[in-house]
Amino acid sequence: FVPDTLREAITLYNAVDWGTVQTKGGRTSVTRVELTPVTGRGHQLRLHMASISHPIVGDYMHGNEHTMDEHDQLCLHASK
């Protein structure tokens, strides 16, 4: 990041379901969440979830082997 260029970013979240998925690191517990970005910053949802130790499944930038699914797909889906 460039000093003095950071801007506020706000994301609301709500846990809606729990379960497990098969990842490259083995079977991993996951939580399905509904995320609502209040501001629109680049990678905001991915960064916010990683910052609270809950990276999005498939997020190779902010996760690890326990968050990478067997298809290398980011599990982030939009809806209205």
Side-chain angles (χ1 to χ4, degrees):
F1 73 92
V2 179
D4 300 320
T5 62
L6 297 179
R7 297 181 292 167
E8 182 177 52
I10 300 168
T11 300
L12 306 176
Y13 64 94
N14 181 42
V16 295
D17 197 10
W18 296 265
T20 60
V21 296
Q22 184 64 40
T23 65
K24 292 182 177 181
R27 200 106 186 119
T28 301
S29 295
V30 295
T31 303
R32 183 177 298 197
V33 294
E34 179 181 275
L35 301 171
T36 305
V38 176
T39 54
R41 308 287 182 243
H43 297 267
Q44 175 176 321
L45 301 177
R46 294 165 70 175
L47 285 166
H48 281 171
M49 294 309 294
S51 75
I52 61 170
S53 300
H54 291 283
I56 296 170
V57 172
D59 187 352
Y60 66 91
M61 291 177 67
H62 308 290
N64 57 38
E65 67 179 8
H66 296 287
T67 59
M68 295 305 300
D69 74 354
E70 52 196 14
H71 305 292
D72 290 333
Q73 276 187 301
L74 181 64
C75 293
L76 180 62
H77 306 282
S79 68
K80 286 187 173 185

